[in-house]
Amino acid sequence: MSGSRRFIGLLLVAVAVVVALLVPVLNLTLGGLLPGPLNSPGSLNLLALMLLAGATAISLDLVFGYTGLLSLGHGVHFGVGCYSAVLFANTASIGFGAGVLLAMLTTLVIAFVGNACALKLTGFGFAMASLALVQLLAIFVERGYWGSGGEVGLTYDSGVLPGNFTGLANSRNIYWLAAGTLMLIYVLARLAVATEAGSVWQAIRDNPLRAQVLGVPVYGYRLAAATFGSFLAGVCGIAYSVVMSGANPGVVALTYSLGLILMVVLGGRGLLWGAMLGGLLYTYLDLRLAALSTLSGVEDLPGVLRIPLTQPQFILGAVFVLVILFLPGGLASALSRRGGSKNGPGSGRTAVLVNRLRKAPSP
Amino acid sequence: MNDLILISVSALGLASLYFVLASGLSLIFGLMRVLSFAHGCFLTVSAYAAWVVMQAIGTASTAGLFVGAVAATATGAVIALITELLVIRPLAGRELEQLLATVGISIATVALLSGIWGSDQHLLEVPEWLRSTTAVLGAEIPNVRLVLIAAAVLVLIAIELLLSRTRYGLIIRAGVENREMVTALGIDVRRSFTLVFTLGGVLAGLGGALTAVFYRGVTPYLGDDLLIFAFIVLIVGGLGSIRGAAIAAVGLAMAQSLTDFYVDMGAGEIVIVALMLLTLLIRPQGILGQKGRLV
C-alpha cells in the first residue's frame, strides 16, 4: 500500500471514530431511516445493536475468514458470555463488576475446551461439532436448566446494573458502551492478524496441507485463533446483556449463529472491516426493513411484491445467495480493489511460513 | 411392559421421519459433498403444498391424503431441481459456497412462508382412521406412526433397489466411492448430481407430507426443526451411507424417546446431540461410513 493511500485510510478511520462517538449528541433527523432523531433512545438502541453485531462478526471473521474454520455455532460463545454475565451478576454475593470478570473467565474456559474438542475434526466435522455445541446450549436454555429462564430469558435484577446503564435517559451511555466494544474488538483483532501468528492463520486457511508440510503445528494455531475469536464473541455477549438489560434465548438459537455467518460473508470474509460492515448492514436491515417498507407506501403494492419486502429475513437470505453467486468477496470486494478472499492462496503468507522455517533451528 | 412397547413403536415412527429426511441428505452428501441446509425448507414447502391441496379438496378422505402426498412429493422434486440448476450447479466444485448458499435459501424460504401464511400453525384435517389406534402386543399404537414406519421401509427398499439394480444407481455408488475416477471414465457426473439432488427433493417432499400428517398441521419451522435431527442421524450413521442412516435413525429415536419418557421430557434431545458429539470424537466416520470420508 502506498503512503498516500495509507494516510487516506487512517483519515477515514479517524473521521468514522469521531462521528461514531458524537452520534448521541447530534439531534439530526434522517428521514425514516431511523426510528427517531439520531439521539433518541430508539435510534441509539438500534445503533448499539448494530455496533455489537459488527463486533461479533469481526470475532467470527477471525475464526472463519482468517483461519478458514466454518463455525456454525459461533453464537454459543456469545450466548455463554451473555447468560453467564446475567447469572453471575444477579448472584448477590458476586455483583456486577466481579460477575463480568467471572463471565469473561467462563467464556474463555468454554472457548478453549469447546474448540480443543471440536478442532480434533476438520472441515465438515468441525462445522457439525460447532453446530452440536450451540444446539446443546439452545436445548439447555429452552428447558430452563441452570436457572436460564427458559423462553422468557433473564433480566438483570433491579439495582444490579450500574445506574449509568439503566433507563431511557442513559441510552447514550449504552450506545457508547457498544461503540467502545466495537473499537476494542476491532483493535484487538487488527493487532492479532498483524502478528506472525495472524499470517500463519491465513496460510493455514489457504492450504492446511502445505502449512502442515512446512512444519507448522496446525492444530495449535487453529486452536489459538478459534479460542481468541470465541472469547471476543463472549465479550460481545456480555456487552449485549448490558445493552438489552438481560439475556434472551434468541442469541443461542441456531438461526442467530447462521446469521453471523451471513454477516461475515455478505460483508467480505477475510477482511475485518468487511465483516464489520456486514454486521452493521445485516442488523440494520433485519431490524429496520419491516418499518421502512411501511413508510414508503409499500402497503399499497400487490401481495406478490409486498410480502417479500416486509420479510427482512427473506431479503437478507436472497441477497446472501446472490452475493455468493456473483460477488464471492462480499461487499468489501466491491468497495475496494483488494477483495476479501480474492487475494488468492499464498500471496505473501507462504513467504512468512518459509521464513519461519529458515529461522527455525534444523533438527 | 406396555409402556415399553408403545414407546418403542412410537420411536420407530419418529425414526421414520428422521430417516426419510436423512436418506436424501446422505445421497446428496455422498455424491456431491454438499451438506444441504436447504433440505429442511424443501420439506416445509412440500408440507405446505400438501396442506394447500388437502384444504382445496375440503373433506378429509384417504384419497385426498394421497393426492396431497403426491403434490408434496412433486413440489419437493421441482424446487430441488430448480435449486440445483440455478444455485448448486453454478457453484460446482466450491463446496463451502454451496453449503452457504443452501443456508441462504433456507432462511429466505422460511421467511417467505411466514410472510404468506403467518408463523402460526395451520391445522390439517386427516381421515378418521389415521387418528385412531391399533393394538400391537397389547399396546395401543397410533395408526399414523404405523403409516410412517411403512413409508420409511418402502423408501429404504426403493433406494436400495435404485442403487443396486439401475445404471444410475451404479454411477451413484461409484461416485460415492471415488468421484474423480468416475469423472475420469468419461461419465457426466453433473447429470448424476442433478438427479441425486432432485431425488433428495422427492424424499424431502414425501417427508413433508408425512410430517404434516404426523403433527396434523404445518408451520414454517417444521423442516428446520427436523433438519438438525437429520444431520445428527447423518453423522452418527456415517455420511453417505443409507443403511448407516437407517440404523442411526432407529437407535437415536429409541434413545431419545426412552430418555424423554423415563428421565425428563426434553432430556432426549440432549442425549442424542451428546451422542453425535461422542460419535464425532470417537468414530468421526460414523457407524457405517468409510474412514477419511469426513475431511
Side-chain angles (χ1 to χ4, degrees), chain B:
Chain B
M1 189 59 201
N2 272 0
D3 276 349
L4 196 62
I5 293 171
L6 179 64
I7 293 166
S8 305
V9 181
S10 297
L12 282 180
L14 196 60
S16 306
L17 279 188
Y18 294 171
F19 172 71
V20 171
L21 200 58
S23 58
L25 281 172
S26 183
L27 280 177
I28 293 172
F29 186 88
L31 188 69
M32 304 170 71
R33 302 285 188 279
V34 179
L35 208 53
S36 173
F37 275 74
H39 220 67
C41 79
F42 292 168
L43 181 138
T44 316
V45 173
S46 308
Y48 272 83
W51 169 69
V52 167
V53 167
M54 288 169 74
Q55 203 80 346
I57 292 175
T59 52
S61 64
T62 309
L65 189 68
F66 185 74
V67 175
V70 170
T73 311
T75 307
V78 170
I79 51 174
L81 179 65
I82 295 173
T83 306
E84 209 282 329
L85 292 179
L86 288 186
V87 180
I88 306 294
R89 181 173 284 192
L91 295 171
R94 294 157 63 195
E95 283 142 16
L96 175 65
E97 276 79 5
Q98 288 176 325
L99 183 152
L100 293 174
T102 61
V103 172
I105 292 170
S106 161
I107 290 174
T109 311
V110 170
L112 193 60
L113 285 176
S114 36
I116 300 173
W117 283 292
S119 45
D120 296 329
Q121 194 186 33
H122 292 282
L123 293 178
L124 187 81
E125 290 291 327
V126 296
E128 185 59 42
W129 63 270
L130 261 182
R131 275 175 283 170
S132 53
T133 58
T134 304
V136 176
L137 300 173
E140 290 292 322
I141 311 292
N143 284 342
V144 64
R145 305 252 175 179
L146 298 175
V147 171
L148 292 180
I149 296 169
V153 171
L154 284 180
V155 165
L156 178 60
I157 293 172
I159 295 179
E160 288 288 342
L161 284 180
L162 173 85
L163 289 180
S164 61
R165 297 291 163 84
T166 65
R167 182 177 152 73
Y168 268 114
L170 190 66
I171 297 175
I172 292 170
R173 277 188 297 150
V176 170
E177 289 295 326
N178 190 337
R179 194 171 65 184
E180 288 70 27
M181 183 61 84
V182 174
T183 321
L185 287 173
I187 293 167
D188 185 4
V189 185
R190 284 206 323 188
R191 269 171 58 198
S192 319
F193 285 1
T194 310
L195 179 86
V196 161
F197 206 81
T198 311
L199 191 63
V202 168
L203 292 171
L206 179 67
L210 293 174
T211 314
V213 171
F214 179 68
Y215 291 110
R216 275 194 227 156
V218 289
T219 74
Y221 315 108
L222 213 55
D224 284 359
D225 292 343
L226 268 179
L227 187 67
I228 302 289
F229 294 107
F231 278 155
I232 296 173
V233 166
L234 205 61
I235 299 286
V236 175
L239 283 161
S241 165
I242 296 292
R243 285 178 206 175
I247 295 170
V250 171
L252 289 168
M254 285 285 186
Q256 186 186 4
S257 302
L258 290 174
T259 317
D260 272 346
F261 187 81
Y262 288 108
V263 182
D264 182 24
M265 193 64 204
E269 287 185 31
I270 296 175
V271 168
I272 66 171
V273 178
L275 280 175
M276 162 168 156
L277 274 178
L278 268 184
T279 309
L280 281 171
L281 292 175
I282 296 169
R283 195 179 158 82
Q285 74 270 34
I287 299 174
L288 291 184
Q290 291 168 0
K291 229 183 164 81
R293 177 64 52 75
L294 197 73
V295 286

Side-chain angles (χ1 to χ4, degrees), chain A residues 70 72 117 121 124-125 128-129 132 135-136 139 143 145 254 261 269 307 311 313-314 317-318 320-321 324-325, chain B residues 29 33 35 37 96-97 99-101 104-105 107-108 111 115 228 235 264 266 269-270 273 276-277 280-281 284 294:
Chain A
L70 177 61
L72 294 176
C117 292
L121 301 152
F124 287 126
M128 285 292 115
Q135 197 61 21
L136 267 186
I139 298 168
R143 302 283 161 202
Y145 295 158
L254 179 60
I261 298 268
R269 74 193 111 130
I307 289 170
Q311 292 293 327
Q313 291 284 316
F314 171 78
F320 177 73
V321 175
I324 288 184
L325 282 172
Chain B
F29 186 88
R33 302 285 188 279
L35 208 53
F37 275 74
L96 175 65
E97 276 79 5
L99 183 152
L100 293 174
I105 292 170
I107 290 174
I228 302 289
I235 299 286
D264 182 24
E269 287 185 31
I270 296 175
V273 178
M276 162 168 156
L277 274 178
L280 281 171
L281 292 175
L294 197 73

